[in-house]
Amino acid sequence: MNTEHPKISFLPTADADRIFSKDDDVGLDPLPFPIAINRVAHEVSSNASLEQVLQEIIVSASRAVDAEIGLIRSISIDGANFVVVSATGPAPLSIGGLIGSYSVITDDITHSTPGSTVAIDLRSETQAARLPSNERWDFEHIGSRFLLIVPLFARGQLVGRLDLVRTASSPFSTESRNLILPFAAYAASALLDQVYSRASAESQVFQTVIRLHESVEQLADPETILQAVVELIVREPGCARCYAMLWNAERGEFVPTAVAGLEPHLVDILKLISLSPQVVPAFDQMVHSSKPLVIADATKSTLLPASLVRALGIRAAMIVPLRGRRHQTTGVLLLDQNEEDIYFTEAQVSTMAGMAQHLSTLIENAILFDEIRGNSDSMSIINEIAIQMAMLTDEDSLFRHLYYQVASVLDAGRFAMALLTSDRRAIEVRTAIDGVVSPGPTKMALGTDPLSSVAASGRTELVGIRSGADTREWLPGVIPEELPHSHLTVPVTVGRNVIGALSIQSPFRNAYSPRDRELLQAVALHTGIAIENARLYRIVQSRGDRRAAVLDEVMQRQELERKELVDDIHDHTLQTLAACLYRLDQAQSTVSTLSEHEGALIQINNVRESLSENIDRLRRRIFELRPATLDRLGLEPALRELLSGIADAHGLMADLDSDLSSRLIPEQETLVYRLVQEALDYIIARDGVTSIDVSLREHGQNVVIAIHDDATYAADQRDDEGDLSDIALLALIERADLAGGHLRVARRASGGSMMEITVPGAVRSELSPQAGNSGTFEDRGHDAGH
């Protein structure tokens, strides 16, 4: 006996319009009990369906007890209601409309015993009140007067109810109530078989779903789950091919997601066919129905487009809707048979109807999780792009990095970035096609391509299907072998200003979703910020380079002026003063022999002492301005001379430890000397300085100056280089910074400090220390003094 799920519709089916028995006509005479019960027994023993068996039972029973109307109700799946599954009676009374109606199971029926009957006079308000209100209305509507209810028990279990109605004759007699019991037994047995069949079908569904869960990893994406689903359906309940399609609300169509049993070239054909409800009437029914739809002969049906049927070779088809928890459409399963005379059985349809409920929940959960995971991944990618792009300072590097990042999450086989020129009449386009990044930007006037349109309007463009009239070059200056069918182009903005556009393009239809649009818009926002930061960085760097060049020029001129001043004083003023001193010495010698000129001798001695003091002062001043030792002998002798002078002048100990392998170029020697000189001036201005140690070391291409002292510092003075109360230290830090280096100061708890100055890029001169020792400081001093 074949069974049918109560929520399955068939188109077409041989018994879809059958309500009455084949010889059930209005006005037939009552049927003798032996003939009626034999008819039922014959129908039960044949290979008839449950619907046919129940129909014969209710017709034969009604004629055996002379009832005009008969109903058989079964227990609903939830176990709380009766549902009419078979009916007989005159057509004018619209008995067929009662099939599928629900009514509550009352306590009278629940507490009844097997073999009992309940006779109700519907003309009596008291007796009619024992029925649910909807049943009273139904019986009143069809003109019922007397009702005989037989609870249907099978193996002690209530499985349904048999109702017989008389509209004009007398009430049911005791004999009639006894005659109806064998028919009730047949009906109860048939309904019990339905319960077992339903349980067996549900068990098969659960086993199939369990196997599906075992074959799919937890937290799998919808595509993976659907692929496992279609492969399982091809095996059981069985079909030639199975297709899974997800509903895309944004596009208003079903999107092919997974297939099984289909040749590869037919998959490409399926992707090119529009599967919207407007094009496929069967899918339109799926949007509004929760029942499977069976098409016995697809070649003669209008529910599937003829082009789709011919392309895929469909003969028979079953379409199963997938609906979410709120009954919204999430997708469909399309099963087909591609051979003649092979159809879907009621068992297959019932199994798919049961599976659809479980699969819908599984797929809906996968879709929701995929959305959450996609949003999380998008945020991670956006953050990574933002962090990495913040370190880039030119558009070419930024574009290359951006392309590889976007291509890792989106279909970016063709990718482009366009930036508007300052006059906003042209764009500079950078492109990347199939992993190859263009060497540089191409400048071109604004046109009609997507990049130009979006850069000019600031509005996002999302095209899923390229129209035949659109012959534009979507990538300016690039003619691809195959025209792209989809593109997503978004503006690149800084604040409210549009500075360009980003575009990704694909050869496939509908390649980009609204989530892709949100992701690319977020990327474009960070791209605009990165480009603006790169431009500002270049401006600041340019200004800093100009400032450094100007300061370097100023310092060189200052040193040149100092050198000229030193040379002038040394070569002229000091020589003249020395000559005067020499002549005074001679005059003093001559006058000293004349005893009568003692007064003149005193005046000459005073003049000579004054000249001698001024000559010493000028020598010290020359050394401070530009020590000759620095030019002649180099940095180390000049620093030793400087420390010696400080030690003599201030009564302290000063020592130099140098470990430079060769002389520096003159500019670097001057720079290091001045930094040490100013640092020593800063230190000796402190109280309690008794010793100073200076060391010079090489560190790669840098020169590191370390100065230790034992000066005292105020207790509240901060131990860092940012002591805002010490202007002299700030000036020293600024000078080191302008030189491209840096200065650090560390205070010691026991007293004193350590200052470290790093001077970068001190390129060595070809002169060795020995090569620069052709003269001595004493020689220079001798020339100056004599």
Side-chain angles (χ1 to χ4, degrees):
M1 182 183 302
N2 294 330
T3 59
E4 177 185 332
H5 195 281
K7 291 188 178 181
I8 300 173
S9 61
F10 289 83
L11 292 175
T13 178
D15 298 316
D17 299 324
R18 177 179 178 181
I19 298 177
F20 308 106
S21 179
K22 54 182 177 292
D23 57 354
D24 183 30
D25 297 324
V26 178
L28 286 178
D29 294 332
L31 194 66
F33 173 78
I35 297 176
I37 200 67
N38 284 334
R39 284 168 56 102
V40 172
H42 179 270
E43 192 75 10
V44 170
S45 62
S46 66
N47 192 25
S49 66
L50 175 66
E51 181 188 50
Q52 293 171 327
V53 171
L54 293 178
Q55 189 68 35
E56 186 60 51
I57 291 173
I58 194 60
V59 170
S60 298
S62 298
R63 296 177 65 180
V65 298
D66 193 20
E68 291 88 359
I69 300 170
L71 303 174
I72 293 180
R73 306 174 191 265
S74 68
I75 300 290
S76 62
I77 296 177
D78 59 13
N81 297 279
F82 285 125
V83 57
V84 178
V85 294
S86 188
T88 185
L93 297 179
S94 303
I95 298 301
L98 293 178
I99 294 180
S101 62
Y102 283 75
S103 60
V104 178
I105 301 175
T106 61
D107 292 339
D108 287 347
I109 303 299
T110 303
H111 297 149
S112 61
T113 59
S116 63
T117 60
V118 178
I120 297 177
D121 186 350
L122 296 175
R123 297 173 301 176
S124 170
E125 292 291 336
T126 303
Q127 295 188 33
R130 298 167 62 183
L131 300 174
S133 59
N134 63 318
E135 286 189 19
R136 292 202 306 270
W137 188 92
D138 289 338
F139 288 134
E140 181 181 351
H141 179 68
I142 60 179
S144 305
R145 298 182 62 184
F146 301 101
L147 171 63
L148 179 61
I149 299 176
V150 184
L152 302 178
F153 284 91
R155 298 184 181 180
Q157 176 184 355
L158 181 66
V159 294
R161 191 177 111 187
L162 188 151
D163 297 348
L164 296 174
V165 176
R166 289 179 176 175
T167 59
S169 58
S170 60
F172 292 98
S173 64
T174 303
E175 181 182 2
S176 298
R177 297 167 66 173
N178 291 331
L179 289 176
I180 202 64
L181 292 179
F183 297 98
Y186 274 117
S189 177
L191 292 179
L192 183 62
D193 288 343
Q194 181 193 39
V195 172
Y196 289 156
S197 299
R198 183 186 301 164
S200 176
E202 291 180 353
S203 175
Q204 181 180 358
V205 168
F206 279 118
Q207 291 176 3
T208 304
V209 173
I210 289 173
R211 284 193 291 272
L212 174 64
H213 280 283
E214 292 175 349
S215 63
V216 178
E217 295 182 1
Q218 292 185 350
L219 305 179
D221 57 88
E223 291 78 9
T224 302
I225 292 177
L226 287 174
Q227 187 60 45
V229 167
V230 296
E231 292 175 359
L232 182 62
I233 290 175
V234 169
R235 296 192 301 271
E236 51 178 322
C239 61
R241 284 93 53 103
C242 184
Y243 317 82
M245 306 172 193
L246 289 178
W247 173 250
N248 188 310
E250 183 76 14
R251 288 152 49 182
E253 65 179 10
F254 291 94
V255 180
T257 307
V259 295
L262 192 65
E263 295 81 0
H265 71 279
L266 293 180
V267 177
D268 297 331
I269 295 176
L270 188 62
K271 291 181 178 180
L272 297 175
I273 298 176
S274 176
L275 299 175
S276 67
Q278 292 77 14
V279 177
V280 185
F283 288 173
D284 183 57
Q285 292 191 24
M286 294 300 96
V287 174
H288 304 92
S289 174
S290 58
K291 303 176 182 179
L293 173 64
V294 176
I295 304 175
D297 190 349
T299 61
K300 298 179 180 179
S301 174
T302 59
L303 294 175
L304 293 176
S307 59
L308 179 64
V309 173
R310 287 193 302 269
L312 301 179
I314 300 176
R315 294 290 184 179
M318 185 199 323
I319 306 173
V320 184
L322 301 175
R323 313 188 74 83
R325 295 179 179 86
R326 297 189 298 272
H327 304 288
Q328 77 279 11
T329 300
T330 58
V332 294
L333 297 173
L334 172 60
L335 292 70
D336 76 356
Q337 303 286 6
N338 57 355
E339 297 182 11
E340 295 183 359
D341 301 328
I342 297 181
Y343 306 100
F344 290 102
T345 65
E346 295 178 4
Q348 287 177 311
V349 177
S350 178
T351 300
M352 285 306 305
M355 286 181 61
Q357 301 177 6
H358 300 279
L359 295 178
S360 297
T361 302
L362 183 64
I363 294 170
E364 184 181 24
N365 290 339
I367 292 173
L368 293 175
F369 178 76
D370 192 55
E371 291 179 354
I372 295 173
R373 180 170 55 187
N375 292 334
S376 176
D377 292 343
S378 298
M379 291 300 298
S380 300
I381 292 169
I382 292 171
N383 289 336
E384 183 178 355
I385 289 175
I387 292 171
Q388 295 188 12
M389 287 198 306
M391 299 182 291
L392 302 175
T393 57
D394 65 280
E395 284 80 357
D396 289 335
S397 300
L398 187 147
F399 174 76
R400 187 178 298 104
H401 173 80
L402 184 63
Y403 167 63
Y404 293 126
Q405 290 287 344
V406 172
S408 66
V409 291
L410 295 175
D411 183 356
R414 296 176 176 88
F415 180 69
M417 180 178 73
L419 298 179
L420 285 166
T421 57
S422 57
D423 58 3
R424 304 185 71 84
R425 296 181 179 179
I427 53 176
E428 292 183 349
V429 182
R430 293 171 173 83
T431 59
I433 301 176
D434 297 330
V436 180
V437 180
S438 60
T442 302
K443 184 176 180 180
M444 55 189 63
L446 287 174
T448 59
D449 58 274
L451 285 168
S452 298
S453 300
V454 173
S457 65
R459 292 190 294 270
T460 298
E461 287 188 12
L462 174 58
V463 175
I465 303 176
R466 188 183 188 121
S467 64
D470 189 355
T471 59
R472 299 176 298 165
E473 294 180 1
W474 283 4
L475 281 183
V478 177
I479 303 177
E481 297 180 0
E482 180 183 0
L483 291 177
H485 285 282
S486 305
H487 85 81
L488 173 59
T489 308
V490 300
V492 177
T493 59
V494 176
R496 297 184 178 181
N497 298 324
V498 179
I499 64 172
L502 291 179
S503 181
I504 53 177
Q505 302 172 10
S506 172
F508 300 106
R509 297 169 62 252
N510 299 312
Y512 305 111
S513 65
R515 190 171 69 181
D516 297 334
R517 177 177 58 194
E518 294 176 1
L519 174 59
L520 192 61
Q521 286 175 337
V523 171
L525 178 63
H526 289 288
T527 301
I529 296 173
I531 291 174
E532 186 68 12
N533 289 341
R535 290 176 175 176
L536 292 175
Y537 175 81
R538 287 198 299 273
I539 292 173
V540 172
Q541 187 181 42
S542 176
R543 290 178 178 176
D545 292 342
R546 290 197 299 269
R547 176 170 173 261
V550 171
L551 288 174
D552 186 62
E553 181 68 21
V554 170
M555 292 174 66
Q556 289 185 11
R557 290 185 179 182
Q558 287 179 346
E559 293 297 330
L560 181 60
E561 291 174 355
R562 288 180 176 183
K563 188 175 184 303
E564 291 177 351
L565 178 60
V566 168
D567 291 342
D568 181 70
I569 295 175
H570 180 273
D571 296 338
H572 298 286
T573 305
L574 278 178
Q575 296 296 337
T576 303
L577 291 175
C580 292
L581 183 60
Y582 177 73
R583 288 194 293 270
L584 281 175
D585 287 340
Q586 289 183 332
Q588 182 184 25
S589 177
T590 303
V591 172
S592 62
T593 60
L594 302 175
S595 59
E596 63 273 13
H597 294 93
E598 291 181 359
L601 182 60
I602 293 173
Q603 293 296 327
I604 290 174
N605 288 334
N606 292 337
V607 172
R608 186 187 183 285
E609 291 177 2
S610 179
L611 284 174
S612 178
E613 292 175 359
N614 279 276
I615 289 173
D616 292 338
R617 181 178 57 80
L618 285 173
R619 284 174 176 168
R620 289 194 302 272
R621 189 59 177 165
I622 288 172
F623 181 81
E624 293 174 358
L625 289 174
R626 179 76 181 188
T629 310
L630 183 63
D631 293 326
R632 287 192 171 187
L633 303 181
L635 178 63
E636 183 178 346
L639 288 178
R640 292 190 183 279
E641 190 174 7
L642 174 63
L643 289 171
S644 177
I646 292 175
D648 293 339
H650 298 278
L652 52 83
M653 296 178 61
D655 184 45
L656 174 66
D657 180 15
S658 178
D659 189 21
L660 301 180
S661 60
S662 62
R663 286 192 59 174
L664 310 181
I665 61 175
E667 293 79 4
Q668 290 290 349
E669 287 190 332
T670 302
L671 175 61
V672 172
Y673 180 84
R674 293 303 179 195
L675 287 171
V676 174
Q677 184 181 38
E678 294 186 14
L680 294 175
D681 289 342
Y682 166 75
I683 292 172
I684 61 178
R686 299 290 180 178
D687 295 332
V689 181
T690 62
S691 67
I692 298 176
D693 294 320
V694 180
S695 67
L696 301 179
R697 294 289 184 272
E698 294 181 7
H699 185 72
Q701 295 296 317
N702 302 334
V703 172
V704 179
I705 308 165
I707 305 176
H708 298 263
D709 68 84
D710 59 351
T712 57
Y713 296 89
D716 59 347
Q717 194 169 13
R718 293 194 310 199
D719 293 340
D720 56 33
E721 58 195 53
D723 186 2
L724 300 180
S725 63
D726 198 332
I727 302 300
L729 181 58
L730 286 177
L732 187 57
I733 294 172
E734 179 68 15
R735 185 175 182 89
D737 184 61
L738 290 176
H742 58 272
L743 181 148
R744 295 185 301 173
V745 176
R747 313 292 190 208
R748 292 182 294 190
S750 59
S753 67
M754 191 278 287
M755 182 183 298
E756 183 180 86
I757 307 172
T758 302
V759 181
V763 182
R764 303 298 188 264
S765 170
E766 294 182 357
L767 293 176
S768 64
Q770 290 78 11
N773 289 339
S774 58
T776 63
F777 181 77
E778 287 75 8
D779 293 338
R780 181 69 178 262
H782 177 76
D783 292 340
H786 299 282

